[in-house]
Amino acid sequence: AQSVTQPDIHITVSEGASLELRCNYSYGATPYLFWYVQSPGQGLQLLLKYFSGDTLVQGIKGFEAEFKRSQSSFNLRKPSVHWSDAAEYFCAVGSSGSARQLTFGSGTQLTVLP
Amino acid sequence: NAGVTQTPKFRVLKTGQSMTLLCAQDMNHEYMYWYRQDPGMGLRLIHYSVGEGTTAKGEVPDGYNVSRLKKQNFLLGLESAAPSQTSVYFCASKASSHTYEQYFGPGTRLTVT
């Protein structure tokens, strides 16, 4: 069965600094990978997704993620963080079964300092 | 177009009480899901439905029941609430079996005392 590990429970960065959130997955075949963001009091919103092709994918709000098969990783990056990026971020892997379920990581809480 | 909505937003129950959470989507999606979110555990799938009249168990189904009598609605029931069911509950939907992207509701915060 697939699984997702987000090693960092909480990350704090200063506004304007760069950001990298780590995600490692376990999946037997080519993975379908996702990053979601959950702002305080809100549901989850899709930031970006990787299915195949170019290993660097662009998403909304200036985020990007790089798929590295050799490291089983799909890290999320942003070159310059804004205070509004403070949220919880979830990495997810999609199964290839008929239902195409998502398995979520435990999340990384991002705090942005002024 | 409201997307996915959930009612209520907040609820406090006493142990042993019952309640139903309602999820509604106006996107004509086939699939609907109920997750619970607990600190440090991410989202765990409770039950899901692949179409009107169908339901299936997810990762943590015990203590919950669901029904999908209408395509747009997915109900989550707690027959006898326990403190371990204190959590934030999210509903999600997706268009079909061919897609992965799920659309989430804003969540329901449930406290069981």
Side-chain angles (χ1 to χ4, degrees):
Chain A
Q2 65 268 24
S3 65
V4 178
T5 301
Q6 293 180 248
D8 304 306
I9 297 173
H10 194 181
I11 283 184
T12 299
V13 299
S14 297
E15 191 168 18
S18 63
L19 171 70
E20 183 169 26
L21 302 182
R22 296 184 291 164
C23 172
N24 294 100
Y25 67 89
S26 173
Y27 191 67
T30 299
Y32 300 90
L33 296 162
F34 306 81
W35 274 100
Y36 280 83
V37 60
Q38 183 185 20
S39 298
Q42 304 294 316
L44 277 71
Q45 180 184 21
L46 182 66
L47 277 177
L48 47 79
K49 58 190 176 187
Y50 171 78
F51 283 3
S52 64
D54 195 348
T55 57
L56 185 63
V57 294
Q58 303 297 321
I60 62 172
K61 305 185 180 187
F63 285 91
E64 64 179 26
E66 186 171 13
F67 170 62
K68 293 185 177 180
R69 183 187 300 276
S70 62
Q71 298 177 19
S72 298
S73 69
F74 188 56
N75 294 350
L76 181 71
R77 302 194 295 245
K78 188 170 184 178
S80 177
V81 170
H82 188 263
W83 64 265
S84 60
D85 293 324
E88 189 156 19
Y89 292 80
F90 293 93
C91 183
V93 62
S95 69
S96 59
S98 59
R100 299 197 175 188
Q101 309 283 37
L102 293 179
T103 298
F104 289 87
S106 55
T108 298
Q109 183 70 46
L110 174 65
T111 297
V112 180
L113 300 177
Chain B
N1 188 335
V4 180
T5 58
Q6 294 182 232
T7 53
K9 287 186 169 52
F10 303 94
R11 185 71 187 269
V12 177
L13 287 179
K14 294 187 187 303
T15 298
Q17 288 185 320
S18 63
M19 77 163 293
T20 300
L21 280 65
L22 171 64
C23 175
Q25 52 93 6
D26 61 2
M27 298 175 282
N28 201 35
H29 283 176
E30 292 293 331
Y31 282 59
M32 296 187 75
Y33 303 85
W34 276 108
Y35 294 91
R36 60 177 290 171
Q37 183 185 27
D38 303 293
M41 304 190 74
L43 276 75
R44 293 181 292 169
L45 183 63
I46 303 171
H47 286 281
Y48 65 99
S49 168
V50 303
E52 181 179 318
T54 75
T55 63
K57 294 181 180 180
E59 180 186 355
V60 288
D62 294 342
Y64 305 95
N65 56 77
V66 288
S67 64
R68 183 112 181 258
L69 299 180
K70 293 183 178 181
K71 186 176 184 178
Q72 63 268 34
N73 295 338
F74 194 30
L75 278 63
L76 178 72
L78 286 72
E79 291 185 347
S80 179
S84 61
Q85 294 178 304
T86 294
S87 187
V88 181
Y89 292 86
F90 286 99
C91 177
S93 70
K94 71 168 185 173
S96 71
S97 63
H98 302 293
T99 64
Y100 281 99
E101 184 171 352
Q102 296 182 20
Y103 295 80
F104 284 81
T108 295
R109 184 173 294 275
L110 174 66
T111 302
V112 183
T113 62

